Amino acid sequence: MAGDGGVYRLRCSLLGHEQDVRGITRGLFPEGGFVSVSRDRTARLWTPDGLNRGFTEMHCMRGHSNFVSCVCIIPPSDLYPRGLIATGGNDHNICVFTVDNTAPLYVLKGHTNTVCSLSSGKFGTLLSGSWDTTCKVWLNDRCMMTLQGHTAAIWAVKILPEQGLMLTGSADKTIKLWKAGRCERTYAGHEDCVRGLAILSEMEFLSCSNDASVRRWHISGECLHVYYGHTNYIYSVSVFPHCKDFITTGEDRSLRIWKQGECVQTIRLPAQSVWCCCVLDNDDIVVGASDGIIRVFTKSLERTASAEEIQAFENELSQASIDPKTGDLGDINADDLPGKEHLKDPGMRDGQTRLIKDNGKVEAYQWSVSEGRWIKIGDVVGSSGGTQQTSGKVLFEGKEYDYVFTIDVNESGPSYKLPYNISDDPWLTAYNFLQKNDLNPMFLDQVAKFIIDNTKGQAPLNTNTEFSDPFTGAGRYVPGSSSLSNTAPAADPFTGKLKELNGNAAEEQKLTEDDLIILEKLLSATCNTSAEMPTAQQIQTLWKAINWPEDIVFPALDILRLSVRHPIVNENFCGEKAHVQFIHLLLKFLNPQGKPANQLLALRALCNCFVSQAGQKLLMEQRDEIMTQAIEVKSGNNKNVHIALATLTLNYAVCLHKVNNIEGKAQCLSVISTVMEVVKDLEAVFRLLVALGTLISDDKNAVQLAKSLGVDSQIKKYVSVSEPAKVKECCRFVLNLL
């Protein structure tokens, strides 16, 4: 057993990366190793060397066309027994590598901005967070679903141990809990961007933020504790194995070790931004920083670096320049500082800092309990000069930039903020800036020249991509797309009721006596009670009726629900000419606060659209929007609405099984999992079980995804249902497939 010195000391410093090390994660193979990623566009796999003190670079993996910002390990599977390595970058892509190949096995595309966080779960699932304000759930090389709800860049993601639960942290200052693709809870408390997440148990997790705090949360939403210690942005938090102790790193040049809720050790580094950290299986700590160096710290006396290496580290630390504007050392008045004799007094706690003035120079020292002495951690200067060399200095709209300029286009007009990174193309940035703020294109040369003049003419690293530096920022802010949320209600079938309510309609919406006769004929034609075919006049009259106000529209919706089964009516409403208006009208009635009758009839009308080819084609094209809105009615207690929703899901499942659309299947599985939580009617449950069995039949990917959503545990309770017997039988059949 290695000797334990009680405090962490340097184990080794690893050179290799040429720029900031932005992400680090513990590896599975080789044992005791880890993976790092950097702004130099590479990922590197490190393995312990034979001396048991340092590490050797085993592979340098390349696949990104721009900076790499995050990394995670995908657990072993039958196909890949050593697991896989996933990296996310500023090129908007995720590269997936095997541990023995330097080129990607495959590349995941779908995000529209920097991918800055990754987390893996059971059954091969991968969760990614991006500056495009969305998260995506991937299974192997396919995107299963997209999580939308945050209003700013997503900096942190984690998959919880309980199946189907996911956490996301954002620049909108909130954390969200997701189950089966839907937001179940929002955690508010941080006062700035949420930068990191770490899982303590099935019921608790940690978050860190630009507000310089760490928070411990219960899954129920309660904030259990707030930890203070850092003096600047906290970028990363990582948990020790098998306990609730943790470590943090941040913009105050420090790694901090927390035991039983207290910061017990502070290790300063000779780099302003300590971007990332992880804990190895042997409790050694690995950190990456803006100087491109990886440093490993250990409690083991056997693995501690030599006295010469530790002295070299301290010398490097003592020569660092500390910018007082960061606030890391508090307010500084050089005239009031004591001399070097002040260092004769011991410190009160580990990590305590003390400033002294020596020969007109302000120096910073930190107390080390284990060493029993003050260690110099740098010279305090007017400016570190490192502002443009380290990202994370300027935050704008939740993202980091090297510069944020204030532009006055004319003296009388307002000022505009222009974020810029040294890797951006100044001309493209200027163009995007003018477009975003609706400014005259004649200013293009002037703005571009301003950028070049004020960035010391630093050339962009890459000018062939629309956006830029991955960790510092993009050329412009691209908000996430959100699905349509128009909503409203549906009806029940009597033309007599239609005539009665016609009297309550507004004058311009009232139907004439002739119109009412036309609708009766339409019902006869579509319900096969006459030999006549539906006419254009009849269909136009029906369109007028279903645009009535929602409090009287339900009889018209009932006629629509019956009529749309007829091929001519189906083609008219679902064909190329009017299909968008038609779908938006029906979605309007699926408002959770709307009338249940309207909800029911709108859902039934959608189900009946599947009868003909035109309707089937339209509903498959609009699947994402329709399902996103339809699921909103689950919150009501109307069993008929729940049955109609289950029937719509079943119709989609049948169509998706035919075309084997895995992304569509993922959305349907998410809907099934979500609706199963609330429905009580066994007919609705039965139809959802049939839909589930249809989706996963003959599709291993769909089976894996269903398991990752925890669907198997959700449906087990229906095995014991005695009546109707079909529920129990179907449940057993589906469980066998899973």
Side-chain angles (χ1 to χ4, degrees):
M1 177 71 75
D4 187 339
V7 297
Y8 279 88
R9 296 180 177 84
L10 182 71
R11 172 176 170 178
C12 60
S13 298
L14 303 175
L15 306 178
H17 284 296
E18 298 166 12
Q19 293 188 51
D20 302 47
V21 177
R22 289 300 303 231
I24 283 180
T25 189
R26 177 181 64 88
L28 295 178
F29 177 87
E31 189 176 345
F34 61 89
V35 184
S36 61
V37 296
S38 166
R39 290 181 65 176
D40 66 9
R41 310 183 187 187
T42 69
R44 298 174 193 245
L45 177 60
W46 303 85
T47 179
D49 65 23
L51 298 174
N52 204 29
R53 193 176 276 176
F55 289 81
T56 302
E57 182 184 309
M58 184 174 170
H59 285 311
C60 178
M61 293 162 278
R62 300 178 188 272
H64 290 280
S65 60
N66 217 317
F67 307 128
V68 193
S69 54
C70 55
V71 60
C72 83
I73 302 296
I74 299 174
S77 63
D78 292 341
L79 193 55
Y80 302 105
R82 293 178 173 180
L84 296 170
I85 299 166
T87 61
N90 180 236
D91 54 7
H92 315 170
N93 296 337
I94 300 164
C95 291
V96 179
F97 301 85
T98 60
V99 296
D100 51 8
N101 201 323
T102 59
L105 178 67
Y106 52 84
V107 178
L108 305 177
K109 297 176 181 284
H111 282 294
T112 58
N113 210 324
T114 298
V115 179
C116 55
S117 186
L118 294 168
S119 178
S120 60
K122 296 178 181 178
F123 311 109
T125 51
L126 180 68
L127 177 64
S128 61
S130 167
W131 285 0
D132 64 13
T133 75
T134 73
C135 288
K136 291 184 182 292
V137 182
W138 309 82
L139 184 62
N140 301 324
D141 58 350
R142 299 279 185 88
C143 178
M144 299 291 103
M145 63 181 74
T146 299
L147 312 182
Q148 294 183 337
H150 283 292
T151 58
I154 296 173
W155 280 102
V157 298
K158 283 290 178 192
I159 297 180
L160 281 157
E162 185 182 334
Q163 292 180 351
L165 290 180
M166 299 173 179
L167 289 168
T168 58
S170 168
D172 64 13
K173 307 177 187 177
T174 69
I175 302 159
K176 291 183 182 292
L177 175 72
W178 306 79
K179 182 173 177 63
R182 294 181 58 78
C183 180
E184 296 286 317
R185 186 169 291 114
T186 298
Y187 306 82
H190 281 296
E191 298 173 6
D192 208 333
C193 299
V194 178
R195 298 298 293 261
L197 295 166
I199 307 301
L200 290 171
S201 67
E202 286 192 359
M203 303 306 293
E204 292 183 16
F205 65 92
L206 297 170
S207 62
C208 65
S209 165
N210 280 2
D211 64 10
S213 76
V214 176
R215 287 177 177 258
R216 180 162 62 93
W217 303 87
H218 191 274
I219 206 77
S220 64
E222 181 186 0
C223 180
L224 302 173
H225 197 80
V226 184
Y227 306 93
Y228 294 104
H230 283 276
T231 57
N232 211 320
Y233 299 166
I234 306 177
Y235 293 132
S236 180
V237 57
S238 188
V239 177
F240 284 98
H242 316 303
C243 70
K244 293 189 176 182
D245 297 333
F246 60 94
I247 60 174
T248 52
T249 62
E251 184 68 11
D252 57 5
R253 310 188 330 137
S254 75
L255 156 69
R256 296 179 190 244
I257 298 152
W258 304 76
K259 301 279 187 182
Q260 298 179 338
E262 298 291 328
C263 180
V264 297
Q265 188 178 356
T266 301
I267 299 174
R268 300 278 177 176
L269 278 84
Q272 183 64 53
S273 308
V274 189
W275 291 117
C276 51
C277 59
C278 76
V279 181
L280 302 180
D281 287 335
N282 59 7
D283 281 356
D284 283 6
I285 297 168
V286 188
V287 297
S290 53
D291 60 1
I293 299 174
I294 298 167
R295 295 177 177 88
V296 186
F297 296 90
T298 185
K299 286 192 299 182
S300 162
L301 298 176
E302 283 82 356
R303 293 194 297 273
T304 300
S306 67
E308 293 77 18
E309 289 171 309
I310 291 177
Q311 187 59 54
F313 172 68
E314 289 186 10
N315 291 343
E316 189 181 6
L317 190 60
S318 70
Q319 291 162 16
S321 298
I322 302 173
D323 183 355
K325 293 198 292 291
T326 62
D328 299 346
L329 303 172
D331 295 327
I332 300 171
N333 186 341
D335 295 333
D336 296 339
L337 293 176
K340 212 157 191 171
E341 67 279 359
H342 194 45
L343 299 178
K344 293 178 182 176
D345 300 327
M348 304 295 291
R349 56 180 172 77
D350 193 78
Q352 177 186 350
T353 54
R354 185 166 285 180
L355 301 179
I356 60 116
K357 191 174 179 181
D358 186 33
N359 294 324
K361 206 168 56 170
V362 177
E363 297 177 345
Y365 286 80
Q366 176 179 292
W367 178 252
S368 168
V369 170
S370 60
E371 304 279 342
R373 64 188 178 98
W374 292 97
I375 298 172
K376 186 181 177 185
I377 59 172
D379 296 314
V380 181
V381 296
S383 172
S384 68
T387 301
Q388 309 310 330
Q389 281 70 49
T390 60
S391 49
K393 281 301 189 180
V394 189
L395 212 68
F396 180 67
E397 291 183 335
K399 302 173 185 177
E400 298 167 331
Y401 293 91
D402 291 325
Y403 303 87
V404 176
F405 298 115
T406 301
I407 304 288
D408 296 307
V409 177
N410 58 62
E411 290 183 8
S412 58
S415 296
Y416 300 92
K417 294 295 183 185
L418 190 160
Y420 181 75
N421 294 295
I422 58 174
S423 60
D424 290 348
D425 182 327
W427 297 94
L428 183 59
T429 301
Y431 173 79
N432 288 333
F433 167 76
L434 295 174
Q435 289 279 308
K436 178 181 177 181
N437 295 292
D438 198 23
L439 297 173
N440 195 319
M442 65 175 279
F443 291 117
L444 180 63
D445 286 355
Q446 187 179 338
V447 174
K449 188 173 186 303
F450 173 87
I451 294 171
I452 293 167
D453 290 345
N454 285 275
T455 55
K456 305 179 183 69
Q458 294 188 66
L461 295 179
N462 186 1
T463 59
N464 62 1
T465 57
E466 183 182 357
F467 304 115
S468 38
D469 184 315
F471 322 110
T472 55
R476 58 192 168 95
Y477 180 70
V478 182
S481 59
S482 59
S483 51
L484 208 72
S485 57
N486 292 344
T487 43
D492 247 323
F494 308 105
T495 53
K497 191 68 177 174
L498 189 71
K499 292 175 183 177
E500 178 191 326
L501 293 173
N502 189 44
N504 299 329
E507 206 57 45
E508 67 275 8
Q509 291 178 314
K510 271 186 180 171
L511 301 175
T512 65
E513 284 299 318
D514 287 344
D515 288 337
L516 293 171
I517 294 169
I518 287 169
L519 288 179
E520 285 183 23
K521 288 184 176 179
L522 175 64
L523 265 181
S524 299
T526 55
C527 296
N528 298 320
T529 55
S530 78
E532 296 179 8
M533 290 289 109
T535 66
Q537 184 187 30
Q538 292 168 357
I539 293 169
Q540 186 58 41
T541 305
L542 177 57
W543 177 254
K544 181 180 178 180
I546 61 177
N547 278 279
W548 274 3
E550 64 179 73
D551 56 334
I552 61 172
V553 75
F554 66 90
L557 283 175
D558 207 20
I559 296 174
L560 170 69
R561 185 257 311 184
L562 295 167
S563 302
V564 79
R565 296 177 301 174
H566 194 285
I568 292 176
V569 180
N570 195 294
E571 174 64 39
N572 198 285
F573 281 119
C574 301
E576 294 295 328
K577 289 182 180 178
H579 66 279
V580 174
Q581 285 176 290
F582 176 62
I583 289 298
H584 285 184
L585 178 71
L586 289 181
L587 292 184
K588 184 182 72 170
F589 296 121
L590 298 181
N591 186 330
Q593 282 75 49
K595 288 180 176 293
N598 291 351
Q599 296 171 350
L600 174 64
L601 291 169
L603 287 169
R604 286 179 173 175
L606 287 168
C607 290
N608 287 345
C609 285
F610 279 97
V611 169
S612 290
Q613 191 173 354
Q616 196 173 117
K617 181 174 182 288
L618 173 61
L619 265 66
M620 289 299 283
E621 287 173 352
Q622 303 293 317
R623 169 190 50 78
D624 185 50
E625 194 172 342
I626 291 170
M627 292 299 279
T628 299
Q629 191 56 47
I631 198 174
E632 295 298 326
V633 301
K634 73 176 173 58
S635 54
N637 295 317
N638 188 299
K639 73 172 188 178
N640 290 322
V641 171
H642 286 167
I643 291 170
L645 177 58
T647 307
L648 178 66
T649 308
L650 175 54
N651 274 295
Y652 269 115
V654 172
C655 287
L656 289 164
H657 182 70
K658 291 176 187 172
V659 298
N660 196 26
N661 178 335
I662 191 65
E663 189 172 351
K665 286 186 176 183
Q667 185 184 30
C668 265
L669 286 168
S670 172
V671 169
I672 291 167
S673 175
T674 305
V675 177
M676 277 283 189
E677 296 270 331
V678 295
V679 294
K680 295 181 176 62
D681 183 84
L682 290 176
E683 180 59 34
V685 169
F686 173 69
R687 296 185 189 196
L688 289 171
L689 287 170
V690 176
L692 174 58
T694 304
L695 288 168
I696 64 175
S697 178
D698 302 320
D699 189 335
K700 290 181 180 178
N701 284 336
V703 169
Q704 285 182 300
L705 184 61
K707 285 181 177 179
S708 73
L709 292 172
V711 174
D712 48 346
S713 59
Q714 279 183 301
I715 67 173
K716 279 177 183 172
K717 60 185 175 184
Y718 296 113
V719 172
S720 57
V721 170
S722 54
E723 290 293 333
K726 65 181 182 180
V727 174
K728 175 171 63 176
E729 291 165 8
C730 187
C731 184
R732 285 178 174 167
F733 176 77
V734 173
L735 286 172
N736 284 336
L737 290 177
L738 290 167

